[in-house]
Amino acid sequence: MDFGFSPDVLEFQRRVREFIADNMRPELQTGISYVAGAGEDDQELASAQAEFRKLLDKAGLLRVAWPKEFGGEGLPPVYEYVLRQELERNGLEPRVGMSLTSAVIAKCGTEEQKDEFLEKLLNKDLTMCAGFSEPRGGSDLAGLETRAVRDGDEWVLNGQKIYTTYADTADFMWCLARTDKDAGKHDGISIFMVDMSHPGVTVRPLYTMGTYLTHEVFLDDVRVPHRHLIGGEPNQGWYQNTLALDLERINIGSYFAYKRFFDEVVEFAKSDEYTSKAIVDNSLLRVRLGELAVDLEILRQLANRNAYLVNENAVSSMIASMAKVWSTEFYYRMASVVMQLLGPFGQLKKGSKWALLAGEAEIAYRNSPPPRFGGGTNEVQRDIIARRGLGLPRSR
Amino acid sequence: MVKDPVCGKDVDDEKIDGPATHATSGAPVTDPRFGTKRYHEGEWYYFCSMGCRQRFIATPARYVDVGEEK
């Protein structure tokens, strides 16, 4: 019985760790997890991360799961999982390598689309936003209503998307639209690369309690060239997206990002500074941190189990959903506990000279609720666990 | 100006559509305080708030003949 990585993966992990140790510039050390929103408004950090990503690529560590014909090594997804973990562990941006967008283009795109987009996506020379959710029902993705109608060499899109993060900065939107209204719910959907600069695209901000800014996007007679219909054939979108979800699923968990924050909290709780402030009683502190330690270990096991199944091409929707639910609810619990432990100090923002833990408690407290409903709400995930895992029937 | 088909208030469709700023891509970014809109059966409907739009989405047939549409 072996719960560990193979020797080859461990060797890759060692190389990544060595690389990070050698290239960790001071500008990258914010003291706050990227997951917690450290980089949202920091241009200096963003450019340091872009430089770091280039060096990572130069060292042959970025394209591990990328197709060989595009300069990758074609290795199994577990390598990308390990790379992401190591970046999270050091508070660095983990969203490197293959994304859902690039995975679909690599698997299903036309040769022209691969040439036009893949390299730019990997280098982040081209940025994306995801046009999935719509106001009528974000959790019912197949029920989307945005229409695309063919007009010569173009498609005309009308409709709207909601909760579109990065719509204000993205170059393109990965837009799911209905191309056959008479086909079955899942059969009439196509994916378009919608240039956000095209006439008819309008962005409406939706402000949130956290550092996440999300948006509505209106598409009013937006003309998209046929060459930007993914795969070149309409009505394949649902299946194209599902193919790539396997790779996306491996990234569920963010264990190391949360462990980094948890370890910092524990170290702080042991310090004289904490004792001198005597924010909460020691016995309460021990109980709360002990509970979180148990929860964190469960997250590690679930995330690794999920990654193992994805890597073995034996994806389990139930395990992936369990990892998503546990991960996001753990983060929410941890943020609440840390706020309780730090008392009024926890409310001080990043940048305040009195802030403890670099202000991460305050950011985490505001940013930890949204992941529970982003990427498929936890209610939907529990429904998946019940139906696909436990075999319970759908509602009538 | 058009009428919100749910609450009947006058809403300024030009302001709902009009750019307050621009995204990095150049796309117009609206000021959300003026309201929002909804594409339904080939037409755009304008609302004073997301609450009104949500009610419209739940039962559009109740409102489509009442409101003034663009």
Side-chain angles (χ1 to χ4, degrees), chain A residues 305-377:
Chain A
R305 171 87 178 138
N306 178 53
Y308 168 79
L309 290 171
V310 173
N311 197 58
E312 296 298 309
N313 214 12
V315 171
S316 162
S317 301
M318 181 177 74
I319 297 291
S321 292
M322 284 179 172
K324 198 270 173 179
V325 168
W326 191 258
S327 162
T328 53
E329 293 182 3
F330 168 77
Y331 186 38
Y332 183 69
R333 279 197 299 279
M334 177 165 68
S336 303
V337 169
V338 174
M339 187 58 87
Q340 191 180 12
L341 297 182
L342 298 187
F345 290 98
Q347 298 169 31
L348 297 175
K349 286 185 154 188
K350 180 176 81 168
S352 161
K353 66 178 179 177
W354 304 108
L356 303 175
L357 301 171
E360 183 158 0
E362 188 274 333
I363 295 178
Y365 192 72
R366 285 187 294 123
N367 278 352
S368 60
R372 293 182 300 158
F373 40 84
T377 67

Side-chain angles (χ1 to χ4, degrees), chain A residues 145 160 168 197 203-205 216, chain B residues 24 28 30 32 35-36 38 53:
Chain A
E145 296 178 313
Q160 69 178 97
D168 56 336
S197 69
V203 176
R204 178 177 183 267
E216 294 191 272
Chain B
T24 311
T30 66
T36 187
R38 160 90 176 152
R53 187 178 68 190

Side-chain angles (χ1 to χ4, degrees), chain A residues 93-299:
Chain A
E93 183 189 5
R95 291 175 303 196
V96 298
M98 195 167 274
S99 62
L100 184 142
T101 308
S102 48
V104 175
I105 293 176
K107 279 188 179 179
C108 315
T110 63
E111 290 309 310
E112 190 185 2
Q113 287 163 358
K114 290 176 188 174
D115 289 341
E116 184 175 357
F117 296 119
L118 276 184
E119 187 68 26
K120 287 181 184 168
L121 285 170
L122 183 66
N123 293 333
K124 296 196 185 255
D125 290 335
L126 192 149
T127 57
M128 300 291 303
C129 59
F132 292 125
S133 296
E134 297 188 3
R136 189 174 167 195
S139 295
D140 178 22
L141 183 57
L144 61 89
E145 296 178 313
T146 293
R147 290 290 315 280
V149 177
R150 182 92 188 244
D151 181 19
D153 278 346
E154 294 177 316
W155 290 83
V156 182
L157 271 64
N158 277 291
Q160 69 178 97
K161 299 292 174 181
I162 195 167
Y163 308 127
T164 315
T165 310
Y166 305 119
D168 56 336
T169 54
D171 300 304
F172 278 84
M173 177 164 66
W174 186 251
C175 181
L176 272 68
R178 193 159 295 286
T179 36
D180 184 348
K181 67 182 173 62
D182 299 321
K185 204 173 172 188
H186 298 84
D187 295 332
I189 295 171
S190 302
I191 305 172
F192 294 90
M193 287 287 276
V194 175
D195 189 330
M196 292 294 283
S197 69
H198 274 192
V201 176
T202 308
V203 176
R204 178 177 183 267
L206 294 173
Y207 297 98
T208 72
M209 67 189 280
T211 60
Y212 304 105
L213 174 62
T214 189
H215 309 85
E216 294 191 272
V217 177
F218 301 109
L219 304 165
D220 188 354
D221 283 335
V222 176
R223 302 187 85 83
V224 178
H226 180 70
R227 65 188 164 83
H228 286 170
L229 165 66
I230 297 300
E233 288 291 325
N235 306 327
Q236 307 297 313
W238 185 263
Y239 307 99
Q240 291 167 338
N241 226 36
T242 307
L243 274 175
L245 279 174
D246 288 359
L247 197 71
E248 178 83 350
R249 275 202 176 107
I250 204 166
N251 293 324
I252 294 171
S254 299
Y255 164 75
F256 269 109
Y258 302 153
K259 183 173 185 331
R260 191 202 63 77
F261 184 36
F262 179 72
D263 287 347
E264 287 198 357
V265 172
V266 171
E267 284 310 306
F268 178 68
K270 292 178 193 168
S271 70
D272 292 342
E273 190 182 5
Y274 185 84
T275 311
S276 70
K277 293 196 164 69
I279 294 159
V280 297
D281 175 72
N282 260 351
S283 60
L284 178 65
L285 175 76
R286 286 197 301 274
V287 169
R288 290 282 180 262
L289 293 181
E291 284 168 348
L292 287 179
V294 175
D295 291 352
L296 188 61
E297 179 58 17
I298 294 169
L299 173 60

Side-chain angles (χ1 to χ4, degrees), chain B:
Chain B
M1 299 287 269
V2 293
K3 283 213 183 297
D4 179 325
V6 175
C7 68
K9 275 185 200 162
D10 287 334
V11 288
D12 192 333
D13 52 337
E14 285 184 13
K15 281 189 173 161
I16 290 172
D17 281 332
T21 56
H22 287 88
T24 311
S25 63
V29 177
T30 66
D31 184 334
R33 289 174 301 177
F34 293 116
T36 187
K37 62 181 183 176
R38 160 90 176 152
Y39 189 72
H40 176 77
E41 302 285 341
E43 298 288 343
W44 287 98
Y45 292 81
Y46 290 79
F47 304 92
C48 69
S49 66
M50 291 179 80
C52 276
R53 187 178 68 190
Q54 205 54 39
R55 283 194 280 280
F56 179 89
I57 289 171
T59 50
R62 191 172 160 191
Y63 304 109
V64 284
D65 297 329
V66 177
E68 187 180 331
E69 63 200 43
K70 189 182 178 186

Side-chain angles (χ1 to χ4, degrees), chain A residues 45-62:
Chain A
L45 177 61
S47 59
Q49 275 165 339
E51 188 61 34
F52 181 83
R53 204 166 46 242
K54 277 182 194 160
L55 293 173
L56 200 61
D57 195 14
K58 209 171 165 185
L61 299 169
L62 186 62

Side-chain angles (χ1 to χ4, degrees), chain A residues 6 8-9 11-13 15 60-69 71-81 98 247 250 310-311:
Chain A
S6 71
D8 287 347
V9 175
E11 170 56 19
F12 175 72
Q13 184 186 52
R15 284 175 57 206
L61 299 169
L62 186 62
R63 300 174 189 239
V64 279
W66 206 251
K68 284 186 176 169
E69 59 267 39
E73 293 184 47
L75 290 171
V78 68
Y79 284 85
E80 195 148 302
Y81 176 66
M98 195 167 274
L247 197 71
I250 204 166
V310 173
N311 197 58

